[in-house]
Amino acid sequence: MTIAAIVLAGGSASRFAGGHKLIAPFRGRPLAAWAVEAARSSGADEVIVVTGAVDLTDLADVIPGDVRVVANPRWAEGQATSLAQGIDAAGAAGHDAVVVGLADQPLIPAEAWRLVAQCTASPIAVATYDGRRRNPVRFDRRSGHCCRAKGTRGSGLGRIPARPRH
């Protein structure tokens, strides 16, 4: 079974003052670099970054050469379109599962990505922190990639029923 880590980096950061938040400095590095590095350190077979409003491909300190960039021309329609682009790219590459996180969450460690990726008993696994569900989230082919959202705003996932913790 192969797994792709997908980092969603397509939004406009419209609520962020002072440029685009993904390239804003955080602890000495661009904000998005932290999530990309965590995904790269997760043990995934491939890392895919889905871009949109801001082109990160020329920023080697954010997107290293071993990371595949997928541009989402429909990024303005919502996060669901970026999620779909990432899942399509992972599926075309033959991956059996994806672990999805957000580029604007720099404090999620590689261990969280790794642990969620290892939860294979269920088709969907969600990281929990102090009992609260958060990113990253894992989907495998058994889920039918339910995240192929119907809506255009947000992730389109709606409420995911509670599953046993792994």
Side-chain angles (χ1 to χ4, degrees), residues 52-130:
V54 63
D55 182 9
L56 302 173
T57 55
D58 291 335
L59 301 172
D61 52 343
V62 178
I63 308 289
D66 62 341
V67 172
R68 179 160 52 130
V69 176
V70 174
N72 177 12
R74 295 177 49 211
W75 64 267
E77 294 176 36
Q79 189 179 58
T81 64
S82 291
L83 182 59
Q85 287 282 346
I87 288 172
D88 287 348
H95 295 295
D96 302 298
V98 296
V99 178
V100 182
L102 304 179
D104 65 353
Q105 295 184 332
L107 300 179
I108 295 178
E111 179 183 22
W113 288 76
R114 192 169 29 257
L115 290 172
V116 169
Q118 293 170 355
C119 291
T120 59
S122 175
I124 301 172
V126 181
T128 58
Y129 306 88
D130 295 325

